[in-house]
Amino acid sequence: MSLYSPLLSIDVEHDFLQPQAAAFICVPTPETADWIRRRDLLVRSQRNGVAVFCEAARRNVLLEDCTPGAALLTFKWFAQDPLFSQYTLPLAPTPESLLYLRSSASVAEDSGRRRLHAGDTVDAGMMQAMTAPLLARHLDRRDVLRKPVLVAEIDLADHVAKEDAADVHGVNYYLRFSVRKSIWKYYLISDADADTVNLAIVDLDETVRFVNVEPEQLPGNRRALVFMSDGEIEMQKKYPQRFQLREQGGMGERVLIRRLPNADVSKVTQEMVSGRAALVSEIYIN
C-alpha cells in the first residue's frame, strides 16, 4: 500500500462562523483536476478547504523540476448560504468582481501557516474583474451563472517545492473573511405611552448601550416603542450578546424579558443614522 505525504492545504475561515462550521464547497478547476489525476495525487476535503497529497516515494520526482508557473493548482469556493454576501466583508465593487488570491502574495506566520493576504483578513484590494486575463483563465461559463466567492491559485514552486526534505509536512495556506456590522433596533409592540413607562434594554456584559428613540407606527395600525444600540455590532452566526428588557418602577427594577432575541442577518435594512447610512438589524418583540 502506497504511503502518501502532504503537499499543501488551503483553509477558509470566517468571523461569522463557528470554528468547525462548514460553509463552502471547494472544487478544483478542470485543468487542476486533470493535472492531479495524471499525477495520481489525492485530494481531500478539509473543513472549509482542501488538502492535497502525493505518493511519498514520488514526491521528489514531482517537485524537483518545479519551475514557476509549471505547476499551478487552482481551486474555487462556492458559498452554501444564499445570505453569504449579507454578512461578509469585503463587498464586491461590481457584480463581475470576485476574490483572486495567489500563493506568491502569501505571508508566513509564526504558527507555521501561510496567510494568503497581507492583512488580518481579505480586503477589497484583492478583488479582480472576472474578465481580467489571470483570473479569466480559471473560469468558465458556469461561473457566470453561479459565481464563486473566491479563486485561490497555488504555484507549487512558491513554497511546496522549497520544503526541507528532512521535515516534509506540507504547506498550510489559509484565508479569512471579516464580517459586516449593524445597529440593532428593537421594536417593542405596545399600546403603552412612552411617557408612562420606564423601560430599558440592558446588556448583562455591559459592552453595548441602548437608547430609546421615537416610537413608530407599524403596518396594521400597530404602535412600537423603539430601542437602538448606540454602536454597531458584528454579525455572527451565534451571538454571545445577553440583552434583557427591564422596567423601572416604584418597587424597583424588574426583568420583563430575561433574554431578548438576537439579530437575524436576513432582516437587515439600510437607514440614515446620525446623518450617515448604516445597516440596521430589525428585531420585533410582541
Side-chain angles (χ1 to χ4, degrees):
M1 184 175 181
S2 298
L3 294 177
Y4 281 80
S5 68
L7 282 177
L8 64 98
S9 67
I10 317 170
D11 198 21
V12 177
E13 300 175 356
H14 201 304
D15 287 342
F16 181 81
L17 303 170
Q18 300 298 301
Q20 297 300 323
F24 304 93
I25 296 173
C26 174
V27 297
T29 62
E31 293 78 13
T32 294
D34 183 62
W35 195 92
I36 287 172
R37 178 185 56 79
R38 288 188 284 109
R39 288 159 180 80
D40 294 324
L41 303 185
L42 290 180
V43 179
R44 294 289 182 265
S45 297
Q46 177 175 288
R47 294 181 295 277
N48 282 306
V50 65
V52 181
F53 304 83
C54 70
E55 284 191 58
R58 300 174 58 192
R59 183 187 185 93
N60 290 340
V61 175
L62 176 70
L63 298 175
E64 65 184 4
D65 294 324
C66 206
T67 57
L72 298 179
L73 299 187
T74 307
F75 297 87
K76 296 181 283 190
W77 275 258
F78 296 87
Q80 299 190 70
D81 187 351
L83 295 175
F84 179 81
S85 61
Q86 185 86 331
Y87 52 76
T88 300
L89 289 177
L91 301 177
T94 69
E96 293 76 31
S97 301
L98 60 84
L99 283 167
Y100 177 42
L101 290 75
R102 307 175 71 187
S103 57
S104 59
S106 65
V107 177
E109 294 187 331
D110 293 340
S111 64
R113 297 198 299 173
R114 296 196 69 91
R115 193 174 65 246
L116 285 169
H117 40 85
D120 292 336
T121 57
V122 289
D123 59 62
M126 308 181 78
M127 291 278 185
Q128 290 278 337
M130 296 175 70
T131 54
L134 286 177
L135 176 56
R137 59 181 171 161
H138 300 309
L139 304 176
D140 54 43
R141 273 189 272 180
R142 290 172 298 179
D143 295 323
V144 176
L145 298 175
R146 187 191 178 196
K147 192 175 76 170
V149 296
L150 72 100
V151 174
E153 175 189 290
I154 307 298
D155 189 334
L156 296 190
D158 285 337
H159 310 105
V160 178
K162 299 174 183 176
E163 280 191 295
D164 186 347
D167 185 27
V168 174
H169 58 274
V171 179
N172 300 313
Y173 297 96
Y174 85 98
L175 64 109
R176 188 173 186 87
F177 285 101
S178 59
V179 291
R180 304 178 78 183
K181 300 178 181 180
S182 69
I183 291 172
W184 287 23
K185 187 175 184 179
Y186 282 97
Y187 292 87
L188 178 63
I189 312 301
S190 173
D191 293 327
D193 190 330
D195 295 330
T196 64
V197 295
N198 191 4
L199 301 179
I201 292 179
V202 176
D203 178 11
L204 296 182
D205 299 311
E206 300 182 344
T207 58
V208 180
R209 188 174 72 91
F210 282 85
V211 295
N212 296 29
V213 297
E214 286 295 318
E216 294 187 21
Q217 200 72 23
L218 303 180
N221 200 31
R222 298 180 302 166
R223 187 172 179 278
L225 305 180
V226 182
F227 304 84
M228 294 182 68
S229 62
D230 66 350
E232 296 174 311
I233 299 172
E234 289 188 347
M235 298 183 184
Q236 294 182 334
K237 181 73 172 180
K238 186 175 182 180
Y239 288 100
Q241 276 77 8
R242 299 181 300 161
F243 300 147
Q244 289 186 346
L245 180 66
R246 297 181 183 179
E247 180 182 26
Q248 185 69 44
M251 301 296 292
E253 190 176 65
R254 66 186 182 115
V255 177
L256 298 181
I257 300 179
R258 190 165 300 278
R259 190 71 175 265
L260 286 167
N262 290 325
D264 185 334
V265 295
S266 67
K267 297 179 174 62
V268 178
T269 62
Q270 190 170 53
E271 296 182 18
M272 295 300 295
V273 179
S274 300
R276 67 177 184 87
L279 293 179
V280 175
S281 294
E282 298 181 339
I283 310 161
Y284 293 85
I285 309 296
N286 290 308

